[in-house]
Amino acid sequence: MTIEIDTPRPTATAPDADATAPPRRRTGRWIDHWDPEDTAFWESTGKRVARRNLAWSIFAEHLGFSVWLLWSVTATFLASAGFAFTPQQLFWLVAAPNLVGSLIRLPYTFAVPRFGARNWTVVSAALLLVPTALFAFFVQRPDTPYWVFIVIAATAGVGGGNFASSMASINFFYPASRKGTALGLNAAGGNLGVSLVQLFLPVIVGGAGLFGLVAASGSIHLERAAYVWGGLALVAAAGAFFFMNNLAVASSRPREQLRVVRYRHTWIMAFLYIGTFGSFIGFSAAMPLLIKINFFNQPTPDVVGIGINVASFAFLGALVGSITRPFGGWLADRFGGARVTVASFALMTIGTLAVLVTLTRLTPVPKVDPTTVDPATFTYPDAVRSAVESNEQVFWFFLAAFLFVFAASGMGNGSTYRMIPIIWKVRAEAAGPEGSPERGAALVQATREASAVLGIVGAIGAIGGFLIPMTFGAPWIDDPVAAVRSAFAVFAGFYVVCLLVTWAVYLRPGSAMSRARV
């Protein structure tokens, strides 16, 4: 058996290739025959090609997540860069990329079968240059209107679409027995992009970071972040162009994929994924601002602030959630996805209530009139310093509870994604007795539909990344701290609803889903 992979121009399909393999449709790095379920093919050629594509897919998706969440930590430095935005406006800047990122996940999913995995990775990586270039230009101009920043932040949403196309791409490269590991690595590598941008951006722009190992430089240069991640995007685009492949067999029609919107399980799983992944990405985006609003005090950008340094802790939430995602999938394989998902929502409820309790223990910090502050002579009043120091003691309980929520949401991300193919398999098995043509056809159709559901669920679930920051920045509440407390109470109630829905639909005794250990 032969395979064509690295040819720069069209060539004839090997005579002994599968006769049903689609003909080469375009020039470039297209693979005409791909059969990872063939053990001999996989060991001789497929494994090496798949691993190379996985590596560059992870890198491109990782950068997509980094650019997507670029504003989550940038928002905490805008005041130091000369921008006078309110907390509500900052939460809007954090939320805008998440809304766009969720909306474009569907077209990104359909782009892989239409244009090819390698081709679309090149395009999607190159598109990251748009938000980074706009970012670099306008963050150096403090007189830029706020609405312009909203538009610029929204363009960062293209990074959120990379997850959908990357997962769709890798799904075709690996055999069924290895898909879980490959997709888990791909997803975790992407999620880590959130954590690393929140860890390294403060250091790159001149702020303090790395747990105090790096001191602030005295001036903030936000444009440096755009230069770094824009440059890495070019590397990702070049790497995909030279080292990735398109698969001719990875074809499907959007109309067939969209047919799954008629099934109630598609919407139930999308609802649950809002609770798991929506919480992960929403809390990741909002965590830096939450720390700054509740545990840091700085009356003017010219005065050295006191309290908790955002740069030292903001990245931990996304890091913990990324690490626990594969663990959630592993637990789902052993005990069933629905059981792990119920446990995740229970833990998220407990953790969210614990966060809420810590916020009720905060000491109100007296306001300092910024018009009376002279940076050369200003010292914090004793009442302000005492309140900030008291809140620093509360912070450690807040951080522990919040990381607990992140860990539980990461587990839920892995378990909910594992549930989807099992749900569709159970539905297909009801089409006829074992071994019947009806069941066989239904199982083939279920595999295609499950892939489409993964894309749709991922797109809808990401909307949580928009809703959570917007709830924290509720415009109808004047006090930002009060808005945050109200938001956590709402989230706790939502997780209880998600828990009950999961149990009623997938764990209710006697149901087919429960017997199949969905």
Side-chain angles (χ1 to χ4, degrees):
M1 181 171 293
T2 61
I3 181 172
E4 301 173 13
I5 49 175
D6 295 332
T7 53
R9 57 184 182 279
T11 60
T13 304
D16 57 342
D18 188 292
T20 63
R24 184 178 295 276
R25 297 173 294 172
R26 304 168 181 81
T27 60
R29 299 173 60 89
W30 283 87
I31 297 178
D32 287 338
H33 174 71
W34 186 258
D35 186 10
E37 301 298 340
D38 182 335
T39 303
F41 169 85
W42 176 254
E43 293 297 332
S44 64
T45 306
K47 182 192 301 184
R48 173 178 56 84
V49 176
R51 285 178 175 176
R52 187 181 68 233
N53 280 269
L54 175 62
W56 284 103
S57 177
I58 289 175
F59 183 53
E61 184 196 348
H62 177 91
L63 294 178
F65 267 89
S66 294
V67 173
W68 192 19
L69 273 292
L70 189 68
W71 288 89
S72 68
V73 63
T74 298
T76 65
F77 288 101
L78 287 175
S80 299
F83 297 92
F85 296 146
T86 67
Q88 286 80 6
Q89 289 177 318
L90 293 177
F91 275 119
W92 266 103
L93 286 176
V94 167
N98 293 338
L99 176 61
V100 175
S102 64
L103 295 177
I104 67 172
R105 281 190 165 193
L106 273 182
Y108 267 57
T109 299
F110 301 149
V112 170
R114 177 67 179 85
F115 301 106
R118 171 258 195 178
N119 294 349
W120 188 249
T121 303
V122 172
V123 172
S124 61
L127 284 175
L128 299 178
L129 296 175
V130 175
T132 52
L134 291 173
F135 180 97
F137 182 82
F138 285 100
V139 293
Q140 300 179 71
R141 289 158 175 79
D143 58 340
T144 301
Y146 174 70
W147 69 267
V148 174
F149 273 88
I150 285 291
V151 174
I152 297 170
T155 65
V158 297
N162 284 17
F163 173 85
S165 58
S166 182
M167 295 291 276
S169 166
I170 296 305
N171 183 55
F172 288 107
F173 275 96
Y174 280 81
S177 61
R178 300 174 185 265
K179 283 184 189 290
T181 300
L183 293 175
L185 289 172
N186 200 49
N191 291 170
L192 280 171
V194 180
S195 179
L196 293 188
V197 74
Q198 292 177 338
L199 172 63
F200 290 112
L201 185 144
V203 177
I204 292 170
V205 304
L210 298 181
F211 300 101
L213 296 177
V214 177
S217 65
S219 60
I220 299 297
H221 298 277
L222 293 175
E223 69 279 3
R224 294 176 183 170
Y227 299 151
V228 170
W229 274 277
L232 290 174
L234 285 174
V235 174
F241 182 84
F242 288 109
F243 300 111
M244 290 188 71
N245 299 98
N246 304 308
L247 298 181
V249 297
S251 61
S252 61
R253 298 177 181 177
R255 181 179 299 179
E256 294 178 352
Q257 290 178 301
L258 287 173
R259 183 168 52 194
V260 299
V261 300
R262 298 180 301 177
Y263 305 143
R264 72 185 184 101
H265 288 292
T266 301
W267 297 104
I268 292 172
M269 292 308 302
F271 176 76
L272 299 180
Y273 204 56
I274 291 175
T276 56
F277 179 77
S279 296
F280 167 79
I281 201 67
F283 287 146
S284 296
M287 188 174 181
L289 277 177
L290 291 177
I291 295 175
K292 184 171 184 179
I293 289 173
N294 292 282
F295 301 99
F296 189 76
N297 188 269
Q298 187 177 26
T300 70
D302 298 327
V303 173
V304 176
I306 58 174
I308 298 298
N309 180 10
V310 174
S312 295
F313 302 98
F315 74 97
L316 290 175
L319 177 63
V320 169
S322 300
I323 292 174
T324 57
R325 178 166 185 153
F327 183 62
W330 177 76
L331 287 175
D333 286 337
R334 292 198 61 186
F335 304 107
R339 291 181 179 179
V340 178
T341 300
V342 163
S344 296
F345 282 127
L347 295 175
M348 290 173 70
T349 303
I350 294 171
T352 303
L353 291 175
V355 171
L356 180 58
V357 169
T358 63
L359 294 177
T360 62
R361 303 296 299 272
L362 292 177
T363 302
V365 180
K367 299 293 183 182
V368 176
D369 184 357
T371 62
T372 64
V373 174
D374 179 359
T377 61
F378 176 77
T379 58
Y380 285 93
D382 290 342
V384 172
R385 189 173 294 278
S386 175
V388 171
E389 291 176 354
S390 175
N391 291 338
E392 286 180 342
Q393 303 303 314
V394 177
F395 170 76
W396 302 108
F397 297 98
F398 166 86
L399 181 64
F402 214 170
L403 294 183
F404 186 83
V405 175
F406 271 104
S409 69
M411 289 174 53
N413 287 339
S415 62
T416 50
Y417 248 46
R418 186 266 186 189
M419 289 172 64
I420 292 172
I422 305 300
I423 292 170
W424 258 253
K425 180 182 177 183
V426 172
R427 294 179 67 255
E429 289 174 345
E434 185 176 357
S436 66
E438 293 80 8
R439 176 182 283 198
L443 287 172
V444 172
Q445 182 66 21
T447 301
R448 296 197 190 101
E449 291 184 345
S451 296
V453 172
L454 289 172
I456 293 173
V457 167
I460 297 175
I463 292 177
F466 169 75
L467 296 177
I468 285 179
M470 290 314 306
T471 308
F472 284 136
W476 54 87
I477 301 179
D478 294 331
D479 182 4
V481 175
V484 169
R485 292 173 183 170
S486 300
F488 276 110
V490 171
F491 299 149
F494 176 68
Y495 299 145
V496 171
V497 174
C498 290
L499 186 157
L500 294 175
V501 169
T502 307
W503 180 88
V505 180
Y506 301 113
L507 285 179
R508 182 169 41 84
S511 67
M513 295 295 174
S514 177
R515 289 194 299 271
R517 295 182 64 193
V518 167

